[in-house]
Amino acid sequence: MSLALDPAAQDLLFREARTANTFTDEPVTEEQVQAIYDLVKYGPTAFNQSPLRVTLVRSPEARERLIPHMAEGNRLKTASAPLVAILSADNEFHEELSALFPHFPQAKDVFFAERPAREQAALVNATLQAGYFIVGVRAAGLAAGPMTGFDFAGVQKEFLDDDHTPLMIVNIGKPGDDAWFPRSPRLAYEDVVTTI
């Protein structure tokens, strides 16, 4: 069976998708980031809650504050990426639900009145949106380097607040020389999919 998406787009978004480890110095523009967001904002989430928040690290001063929080193996590539995004989950996403889920305005109070319920929902749905974001970066013709090798508490304290939980940091740009590690294996269909 063939997919609706043409093979070149399948390659761009998935088969050729790799975590970039080096980047050129070509800047990533605000217009490119806006185009990425304007595409990926349509990806579905439960109750349309849309809890992902993106903090763009552009200034040299902000980059210098971020680098010490990165794992040793992630510091150089984060220092040299044209753009770095801190992706976080907004645990107070429910405050936007009246606009985002207008046909059921009671959802805010019925399902998300308690902070633990919001944190769980925000974690799951913002992580889903982070996947959309990475695919959106690919759709823009850029490479993404998503990483979870960093001091989560340190990044939260330095860049966020208690209402935002860091999920990952994504380096973004055009791939540089020797940007890719060799392709790692993938699990086979029968190792992942179970029919009951």
Side-chain angles (χ1 to χ4, degrees):
M1 170 171 182
S2 63
L3 300 173
L5 199 62
D6 73 72
Q10 293 173 38
D11 288 343
L12 175 68
L13 298 179
F14 295 100
R15 288 191 204 96
E16 294 176 4
R18 310 285 289 282
T19 296
N21 294 291
T22 66
F23 298 90
T24 69
D25 59 2
E26 182 179 332
V28 176
T29 68
E30 196 65 33
E31 292 77 15
Q32 287 172 302
V33 177
Q34 180 76 50
I36 291 165
Y37 176 73
D38 286 342
L39 174 65
V40 304
K41 69 183 178 184
Y42 294 109
T45 57
F47 293 95
N48 197 35
Q49 60 191 248
S50 306
L52 181 70
R53 301 296 178 263
V54 181
T55 303
L56 298 177
V57 180
R58 284 199 183 274
S59 73
E61 297 79 16
R63 189 79 58 110
E64 287 177 19
R65 290 169 37 216
L66 176 60
I67 299 300
H69 298 290
M70 302 304 297
E72 185 66 37
N74 292 331
R75 289 180 181 173
L76 182 59
K77 54 190 167 187
T78 302
S80 64
L83 181 63
V84 179
I86 301 169
L87 305 188
S88 63
D90 181 358
N91 296 307
E92 298 298 310
F93 68 86
H94 68 306
E95 297 297 344
E96 306 292 337
L97 280 182
S98 61
L100 295 174
F101 206 62
H103 53 283
F104 185 30
Q106 307 91 319
K108 171 185 172 183
D109 298 318
V110 171
F111 296 104
F112 304 113
E114 302 296 324
R115 175 73 180 230
R118 289 197 305 274
E119 289 178 349
Q120 177 64 28
L123 175 64
V124 170
N125 288 280
T127 302
L128 177 63
Q129 288 186 284
Y132 298 148
F133 182 83
I134 293 165
V135 172
V137 169
R138 298 281 309 159
L142 300 169
M147 302 170 291
T148 56
F150 63 93
D151 174 2
F152 281 69
V155 166
Q156 182 176 28
K157 183 176 180 182
E158 188 74 35
F159 293 98
L160 306 170
D161 59 32
D162 290 340
D163 291 331
H164 293 80
T165 303
L167 301 172
M168 67 185 67
I169 294 174
V170 183
N171 294 327
I172 304 169
K174 293 283 186 181
D177 294 334
D178 299 318
W180 322 115
F181 294 139
R183 170 73 77 193
S184 296
R186 297 298 191 263
L187 294 172
Y189 177 87
E190 58 272 12
D191 295 328
V192 175
V193 178
T194 303
T195 303
I196 56 173

